Amino acid sequence: MYENSFTFTKMLAAYGKPHKFNGRSTRTELLGYLVISWLVGTAMNWVLVGSGMAGSIELGITSFRVAYFLVWIPFPALAVRRFHDQDKPGWWALLLVLPTVAFWLGFKEVLSPPARFAFDAIYLGALVLLFWKPTDGTNRYGPDPRVDPEDAALASE
């Protein structure tokens, strides 16, 4: 039977394995990561503005980028595991990771408007794929992470 619980532990699961590129992850884990990242990012923004760092634009922007990078660290591994959950190779995650890094480094600013539109469309398409329906049961990347471990143990006996 599939698990149907959305617990705080599952929301934080991506942060517990930021460098684990093998295996599979659920959409719940991805959604939890996105919610927690948004909350932390918003809180960091308020702290930067409240502390007056926003007064020094360069210091504020640098602090903000460093903080967002720290929040972003688990994302590449999580994206790879999400594509594994759909029985796709983890290389698909590059469609999300490379545009993000290019944006941070300012490469996107030198692109023409049509190229920037294509860049954004590819990124959004890959982001939608992260929420795509996973394969049911075990696939070549491991067991189904949605199956309750107790039910899986009973089924194998």
Side-chain angles (χ1 to χ4, degrees), residues 34-100:
L34 293 174
V35 168
I36 296 295
S37 296
W38 178 77
L39 289 173
V40 169
T42 302
M44 288 185 307
N45 190 20
W46 280 102
V47 167
L48 288 173
V49 169
S51 67
M53 282 191 185
S56 168
I57 297 296
E58 290 178 17
L59 178 62
I61 289 174
T62 302
S63 301
F64 200 64
R65 283 185 178 174
V66 168
Y68 266 109
F69 176 73
L70 294 175
V71 170
W72 184 78
I73 286 175
F75 183 71
L78 177 60
V80 166
R81 292 192 312 270
R82 277 300 304 142
F83 283 118
H84 285 175
D85 197 33
Q86 301 164 29
D87 208 18
K88 290 180 175 67
W91 294 107
W92 281 70
L94 288 176
L95 295 173
L96 293 162
V97 174
L98 291 178
T100 303

Coordinates of all heavy atoms in Angstrom, one line a residue, residues 34-100:
L34 N 10.8 22.3 -1.6 CA 10.4 23.6 -2.2 C 9.7 24.5 -1.2 O 10.0 25.7 -1.1 CB 9.5 23.4 -3.4 CG 10.1 22.8 -4.6 CD1 9.1 22.5 -5.7 CD2 11.3 23.6 -5.2
V35 N 8.9 24.0 -0.3 CA 8.2 24.8 0.7 C 9.2 25.2 1.7 O 9.3 26.4 2.1 CB 7.1 23.9 1.4 CG1 6.6 24.6 2.6 CG2 5.9 23.7 0.4
I36 N 10.0 24.3 2.2 CA 11.1 24.7 3.2 C 12.0 25.7 2.6 O 12.4 26.7 3.3 CB 11.8 23.5 3.8 CG1 10.8 22.5 4.5 CG2 13.0 23.9 4.6 CD1 10.2 23.1 5.7
S37 N 12.5 25.5 1.4 CA 13.4 26.5 0.8 C 12.8 27.9 0.6 O 13.4 28.9 0.9 CB 13.8 26.0 -0.6 OG 14.5 24.8 -0.5
W38 N 11.5 27.9 0.2 CA 10.8 29.2 0.1 C 10.7 29.9 1.5 O 11.0 31.1 1.6 CB 9.4 29.0 -0.5 CG 8.6 30.2 -0.6 CD1 8.8 31.2 -1.5 CD2 7.6 30.7 0.3 NE1 7.9 32.2 -1.3 CE2 7.2 31.9 -0.1 CE3 7.0 30.1 1.4 CZ2 6.2 32.6 0.5 CZ3 6.0 30.8 2.1 CH2 5.6 32.1 1.6
L39 N 10.4 29.1 2.5 CA 10.3 29.7 3.9 C 11.6 30.2 4.3 O 11.7 31.3 4.9 CB 9.7 28.7 4.9 CG 8.2 28.3 4.7 CD1 7.8 27.2 5.6 CD2 7.3 29.5 4.9
V40 N 12.6 29.4 4.2 CA 14.0 29.8 4.6 C 14.5 31.0 3.8 O 15.0 32.0 4.3 CB 15.0 28.7 4.5 CG1 16.4 29.1 4.7 CG2 14.6 27.6 5.5
G41 N 14.2 31.0 2.5 CA 14.6 32.1 1.6 C 13.9 33.4 2.0 O 14.5 34.5 2.0
T42 N 12.6 33.3 2.3 CA 11.9 34.5 2.7 C 12.4 35.0 4.0 O 12.5 36.2 4.2 CB 10.4 34.1 2.8 OG1 9.9 33.7 1.5 CG2 9.5 35.3 3.2
A43 N 12.6 34.1 5.0 CA 13.2 34.5 6.3 C 14.5 35.2 6.1 O 14.8 36.2 6.7 CB 13.2 33.3 7.2
M44 N 15.4 34.6 5.2 CA 16.7 35.2 5.0 C 16.6 36.6 4.4 O 17.3 37.5 4.8 CB 17.6 34.3 4.1 CG 18.0 33.1 4.8 SD 19.2 32.1 3.8 CE 18.3 31.9 2.3
N45 N 15.6 36.8 3.5 CA 15.4 38.1 2.9 C 15.0 39.1 3.9 O 15.5 40.2 4.0 CB 14.3 37.9 1.8 CG 14.2 39.2 1.0 OD1 15.1 40.0 0.9 ND2 13.1 39.3 0.3
W46 N 14.1 38.7 4.8 CA 13.6 39.6 5.9 C 14.8 40.0 6.8 O 14.9 41.1 7.3 CB 12.4 39.0 6.6 CG 11.2 39.2 5.9 CD1 10.5 38.3 5.2 CD2 10.4 40.4 5.8 NE1 9.4 38.8 4.6 CE2 9.3 40.1 5.0 CE3 10.5 41.7 6.3 CZ2 8.3 41.0 4.7 CZ3 9.6 42.6 6.0 CH2 8.5 42.3 5.2
V47 N 15.6 39.0 7.1 CA 16.8 39.3 8.0 C 17.7 40.2 7.4 O 18.2 41.2 8.0 CB 17.5 37.9 8.4 CG1 18.8 38.2 9.0 CG2 16.6 37.1 9.3
L48 N 18.0 40.0 6.1 CA 18.9 40.9 5.4 C 18.3 42.4 5.3 O 19.1 43.3 5.5 CB 19.2 40.4 4.0 CG 20.1 39.2 3.9 CD1 20.1 38.7 2.4 CD2 21.4 39.5 4.4
V49 N 17.1 42.5 5.0 CA 16.5 43.8 4.9 C 16.4 44.4 6.3 O 16.7 45.6 6.5 CB 15.0 43.7 4.3 CG1 14.3 45.0 4.5 CG2 15.1 43.3 2.9
G50 N 16.0 43.6 7.3 CA 15.9 44.1 8.7 C 17.2 44.5 9.3 O 17.3 45.4 10.2
S51 N 18.3 43.9 8.9 CA 19.6 44.1 9.5 C 20.3 45.3 8.8 O 21.4 45.7 9.3 CB 20.5 42.9 9.5 OG 20.8 42.6 8.1
G52 N 19.7 45.8 7.8 CA 20.3 47.0 7.1 C 21.3 46.6 6.0 O 21.9 47.5 5.4
M53 N 21.5 45.3 5.8 CA 22.4 44.9 4.8 C 21.9 45.3 3.4 O 22.7 45.4 2.5 CB 22.7 43.4 4.8 CG 23.6 42.9 5.8 SD 24.0 41.2 5.5 CE 24.9 40.9 7.0
A54 N 20.6 45.5 3.3 CA 20.1 45.9 2.0 C 20.5 47.4 1.7 O 20.5 47.8 0.5 CB 18.6 45.8 2.0
G55 N 21.0 48.1 2.7 CA 21.5 49.5 2.5 C 22.7 49.5 1.6 O 22.9 50.3 0.8
S56 N 23.6 48.5 1.8 CA 24.8 48.3 1.0 C 24.4 47.2 -0.1 O 24.4 46.0 0.2 CB 25.9 47.8 1.8 OG 27.0 47.4 1.0
I57 N 24.1 47.7 -1.2 CA 23.5 46.8 -2.3 C 24.5 45.7 -2.6 O 24.0 44.5 -2.6 CB 23.3 47.6 -3.6 CG1 22.2 48.7 -3.3 CG2 22.9 46.7 -4.7 CD1 20.8 48.1 -3.0
E58 N 25.7 45.9 -2.7 CA 26.7 44.8 -3.1 C 26.8 43.8 -2.0 O 26.7 42.6 -2.2 CB 28.0 45.4 -3.4 CG 28.1 46.2 -4.7 CD 29.4 46.8 -5.0 OE1 30.4 46.4 -4.3 OE2 29.5 47.7 -5.8
L59 N 26.9 44.2 -0.7 CA 26.9 43.3 0.4 C 25.6 42.5 0.5 O 25.6 41.3 0.7 CB 27.2 44.0 1.7 CG 27.3 43.2 3.0 CD1 28.4 42.2 2.9 CD2 27.5 44.1 4.2
G60 N 24.5 43.2 0.3 CA 23.2 42.5 0.4 C 23.0 41.5 -0.6 O 22.6 40.4 -0.4
I61 N 23.4 41.8 -1.9 CA 23.2 40.9 -3.0 C 24.2 39.7 -2.8 O 23.8 38.5 -3.0 CB 23.5 41.6 -4.3 CG1 22.3 42.5 -4.6 CG2 23.6 40.5 -5.4 CD1 22.5 43.3 -5.9
T62 N 25.4 39.9 -2.4 CA 26.3 38.8 -2.2 C 25.9 37.9 -1.0 O 25.9 36.7 -1.2 CB 27.7 39.4 -1.8 OG1 28.2 40.2 -2.9 CG2 28.7 38.3 -1.6
S63 N 25.4 38.5 0.1 CA 24.9 37.7 1.2 C 23.7 36.9 0.8 O 23.6 35.7 1.1 CB 24.5 38.6 2.3 OG 25.6 39.4 2.8
F64 N 22.8 37.5 0.0 CA 21.6 36.8 -0.5 C 22.0 35.7 -1.4 O 21.4 34.6 -1.2 CB 20.8 37.9 -1.2 CG 19.3 37.5 -1.4 CD1 18.5 37.4 -0.2 CD2 18.8 37.3 -2.6 CE1 17.2 37.0 -0.4 CE2 17.4 36.9 -2.7 CZ 16.7 36.8 -1.6
R65 N 22.9 35.8 -2.3 CA 23.3 34.8 -3.2 C 24.0 33.6 -2.4 O 23.7 32.4 -2.7 CB 24.3 35.3 -4.3 CG 23.5 36.0 -5.3 CD 24.4 36.4 -6.5 NE 23.6 37.1 -7.5 CZ 24.2 37.7 -8.5 NH1 25.5 37.7 -8.7 NH2 23.4 38.3 -9.4
V66 N 24.8 33.9 -1.5 CA 25.5 32.9 -0.7 C 24.4 32.1 0.1 O 24.4 30.9 0.2 CB 26.5 33.5 0.3 CG1 27.0 32.5 1.3 CG2 27.7 34.0 -0.5
A67 N 23.4 32.8 0.7 CA 22.4 32.2 1.5 C 21.5 31.3 0.6 O 21.2 30.1 0.9 CB 21.5 33.2 2.2
Y68 N 21.2 31.7 -0.6 CA 20.4 30.9 -1.5 C 21.2 29.7 -2.0 O 20.6 28.7 -2.2 CB 19.8 31.7 -2.6 CG 18.4 32.2 -2.3 CD1 18.2 33.6 -2.1 CD2 17.3 31.4 -2.3 CE1 16.9 34.0 -1.8 CE2 16.1 31.8 -2.0 CZ 15.9 33.1 -1.8 OH 14.6 33.6 -1.5
F69 N 22.4 29.9 -2.2 CA 23.3 28.7 -2.6 C 23.2 27.7 -1.6 O 23.1 26.5 -1.9 CB 24.7 29.2 -2.9 CG 25.6 28.0 -3.3 CD1 25.5 27.4 -4.5 CD2 26.5 27.5 -2.4 CE1 26.3 26.3 -4.8 CE2 27.3 26.5 -2.7 CZ 27.2 25.8 -3.9
L70 N 23.3 28.0 -0.3 CA 23.3 27.1 0.8 C 22.0 26.3 0.8 O 21.9 25.1 1.1 CB 23.6 27.7 2.1 CG 25.0 28.3 2.3 CD1 25.2 29.1 3.6 CD2 26.1 27.2 2.2
V71 N 20.9 27.0 0.6 CA 19.6 26.4 0.5 C 19.4 25.5 -0.7 O 18.8 24.4 -0.6 CB 18.5 27.5 0.6 CG1 17.1 26.9 0.3 CG2 18.5 28.2 1.9
W72 N 20.1 25.8 -1.8 CA 20.0 25.1 -3.1 C 20.8 23.9 -3.1 O 20.6 23.0 -3.9 CB 20.4 26.1 -4.2 CG 20.3 25.6 -5.6 CD1 19.1 25.5 -6.3 CD2 21.3 25.0 -6.4 NE1 19.4 24.9 -7.5 CE2 20.7 24.6 -7.6 CE3 22.7 24.9 -6.2 CZ2 21.5 24.1 -8.7 CZ3 23.4 24.3 -7.3 CH2 22.8 23.9 -8.5
I73 N 21.8 23.7 -2.2 CA 22.8 22.6 -2.3 C 22.1 21.2 -2.5 O 22.5 20.4 -3.3 CB 23.7 22.6 -1.1 CG1 24.7 23.7 -1.3 CG2 24.4 21.2 -0.9 CD1 25.7 23.9 -0.1
P74 N 21.0 20.9 -1.8 CA 20.4 19.5 -2.0 C 19.6 19.4 -3.3 O 19.3 18.2 -3.7 CB 19.4 19.4 -0.8 CG 19.6 20.5 0.1 CD 20.4 21.6 -0.7
F75 N 19.4 20.4 -4.0 CA 18.5 20.4 -5.2 C 19.0 19.5 -6.3 O 18.3 18.7 -6.9 CB 18.2 21.8 -5.7 CG 17.2 21.7 -6.9 CD1 15.9 21.4 -6.7 CD2 17.7 22.0 -8.2 CE1 15.0 21.3 -7.8 CE2 16.8 21.9 -9.2 CZ 15.5 21.6 -9.0
P76 N 20.3 19.6 -6.7 CA 20.7 18.7 -7.8 C 20.5 17.2 -7.5 O 20.0 16.5 -8.4 CB 22.2 19.0 -8.0 CG 22.3 20.4 -7.5 CD 21.4 20.5 -6.4
A77 N 20.9 16.8 -6.3 CA 20.7 15.4 -6.0 C 19.2 15.0 -5.9 O 18.8 13.9 -6.4 CB 21.4 15.1 -4.6
L78 N 18.4 15.9 -5.4 CA 17.0 15.6 -5.3 C 16.4 15.5 -6.7 O 15.6 14.6 -7.0 CB 16.3 16.7 -4.5 CG 14.8 16.6 -4.5 CD1 14.3 15.3 -3.8 CD2 14.2 17.8 -3.7
A79 N 16.8 16.4 -7.6 CA 16.3 16.3 -9.0 C 16.7 15.0 -9.7 O 15.9 14.4 -10.4 CB 16.8 17.5 -9.8
V80 N 17.9 14.6 -9.5 CA 18.4 13.3 -10.0 C 17.5 12.2 -9.5 O 17.0 11.3 -10.3 CB 19.9 13.1 -9.7 CG1 20.3 11.6 -10.0 CG2 20.8 14.0 -10.5
R81 N 17.3 12.2 -8.2 CA 16.5 11.1 -7.6 C 15.0 11.1 -8.1 O 14.4 10.1 -8.3 CB 16.5 11.1 -6.1 CG 17.8 10.8 -5.5 CD 17.8 10.5 -4.0 NE 17.1 11.6 -3.3 CZ 17.7 12.7 -2.8 NH1 19.0 12.9 -3.0 NH2 17.0 13.6 -2.1
R82 N 14.5 12.4 -8.4 CA 13.1 12.5 -8.9 C 13.1 11.9 -10.3 O 12.1 11.2 -10.7 CB 12.7 13.9 -8.9 CG 12.1 14.4 -7.6 CD 10.9 13.6 -7.2 NE 9.8 13.6 -8.2 CZ 9.0 12.6 -8.4 NH1 9.1 11.5 -7.8 NH2 8.1 12.7 -9.4
F83 N 14.1 12.2 -11.2 CA 14.1 11.6 -12.5 C 14.3 10.1 -12.4 O 13.7 9.4 -13.2 CB 15.1 12.3 -13.4 CG 14.7 13.6 -13.9 CD1 15.4 14.8 -13.5 CD2 13.6 13.8 -14.6 CE1 15.0 16.0 -13.9 CE2 13.1 15.0 -15.1 CZ 13.9 16.2 -14.7
H84 N 15.1 9.6 -11.5 CA 15.2 8.2 -11.3 C 13.8 7.6 -10.9 O 13.5 6.4 -11.3 CB 16.2 7.8 -10.2 CG 17.6 8.0 -10.6 ND1 18.6 7.9 -9.7 CD2 18.2 8.3 -11.8 CE1 19.8 8.1 -10.3 NE2 19.5 8.4 -11.5
D85 N 13.0 8.3 -10.2 CA 11.7 7.8 -9.8 C 10.8 7.6 -11.0 O 9.9 6.8 -11.0 CB 11.1 8.7 -8.8 CG 9.9 8.1 -8.0 OD1 10.0 6.9 -7.7 OD2 9.0 8.8 -7.7
Q86 N 11.1 8.3 -12.1 CA 10.3 8.1 -13.3 C 11.0 7.2 -14.3 O 10.7 7.1 -15.5 CB 10.1 9.5 -13.9 CG 9.4 10.5 -13.1 CD 9.6 11.9 -13.5 OE1 9.7 12.2 -14.7 NE2 9.5 12.8 -12.6
D87 N 12.1 6.6 -13.8 CA 12.9 5.6 -14.6 C 13.6 6.4 -15.8 O 13.8 5.8 -16.9 CB 12.0 4.5 -15.2 CG 12.9 3.2 -15.4 OD1 14.0 3.1 -14.9 OD2 12.4 2.3 -16.2
K88 N 14.0 7.6 -15.5 CA 14.8 8.4 -16.5 C 16.2 8.6 -15.9 O 16.4 8.6 -14.7 CB 14.2 9.8 -16.7 CG 12.8 9.9 -17.4 CD 12.4 11.3 -17.5 CE 11.1 11.5 -18.3 NZ 9.9 10.9 -17.7
P89 N 17.2 8.7 -16.8 CA 18.5 8.9 -16.3 C 18.6 10.3 -15.5 O 18.0 11.2 -15.9 CB 19.4 8.9 -17.5 CG 18.5 8.6 -18.7 CD 17.1 8.6 -18.2
G90 N 19.5 10.3 -14.6 CA 19.7 11.5 -13.8 C 20.2 12.7 -14.6 O 20.2 13.8 -14.1
W91 N 20.8 12.4 -15.8 CA 21.3 13.5 -16.6 C 20.2 14.5 -16.9 O 20.5 15.7 -17.3 CB 22.0 12.9 -17.8 CG 23.2 12.1 -17.5 CD1 23.3 10.8 -17.6 CD2 24.4 12.6 -17.1 NE1 24.6 10.4 -17.2 CE2 25.3 11.5 -16.9 CE3 24.9 13.9 -16.8 CZ2 26.6 11.7 -16.5 CZ3 26.2 14.0 -16.4 CH2 27.0 12.9 -16.2
W92 N 19.0 14.1 -16.9 CA 17.9 15.1 -17.2 C 17.9 16.2 -16.2 O 17.4 17.3 -16.5 CB 16.5 14.4 -17.0 CG 16.2 13.5 -18.2 CD1 16.8 12.4 -18.6 CD2 15.1 13.8 -19.2 NE1 16.2 11.9 -19.7 CE2 15.1 12.7 -20.1 CE3 14.2 14.8 -19.3 CZ2 14.3 12.7 -21.2 CZ3 13.3 14.7 -20.3 CH2 13.4 13.7 -21.3
A93 N 18.5 16.1 -15.0 CA 18.5 17.1 -14.0 C 19.4 18.3 -14.5 O 19.3 19.4 -14.0 CB 19.1 16.6 -12.7
L94 N 20.3 18.0 -15.5 CA 21.1 19.1 -16.0 C 20.2 20.2 -16.6 O 20.6 21.4 -16.7 CB 22.1 18.6 -17.0 CG 23.3 17.8 -16.4 CD1 24.2 17.3 -17.5 CD2 24.1 18.7 -15.4
L95 N 19.0 19.9 -17.1 CA 18.1 20.8 -17.7 C 17.7 21.9 -16.6 O 17.2 22.9 -17.0 CB 16.9 20.2 -18.3 CG 17.1 19.3 -19.5 CD1 15.8 18.5 -19.9 CD2 17.6 20.1 -20.6
L96 N 17.8 21.5 -15.3 CA 17.5 22.4 -14.3 C 18.7 23.1 -13.6 O 18.7 24.2 -13.3 CB 16.7 21.7 -13.2 CG 15.3 21.2 -13.6 CD1 14.8 20.2 -12.6 CD2 14.4 22.4 -13.6
V97 N 19.8 22.3 -13.5 CA 21.0 22.7 -12.8 C 21.7 23.7 -13.6 O 22.1 24.8 -13.1 CB 21.8 21.5 -12.4 CG1 23.1 22.0 -11.8 CG2 21.1 20.6 -11.4
L98 N 22.0 23.4 -14.9 CA 22.8 24.3 -15.7 C 22.1 25.7 -15.9 O 22.8 26.7 -15.7 CB 23.0 23.7 -17.1 CG 24.0 22.5 -17.0 CD1 24.2 21.9 -18.4 CD2 25.3 22.9 -16.4
P99 N 20.8 25.8 -16.1 CA 20.2 27.2 -16.2 C 20.3 28.0 -14.9 O 20.5 29.2 -14.9 CB 18.8 26.9 -16.6 CG 18.8 25.6 -17.3 CD 19.9 24.8 -16.6
T100 N 20.2 27.3 -13.8 CA 20.3 27.9 -12.5 C 21.7 28.5 -12.3 O 21.9 29.7 -11.9 CB 19.9 27.0 -11.4 OG1 18.6 26.4 -11.6 CG2 20.0 27.6 -10.0

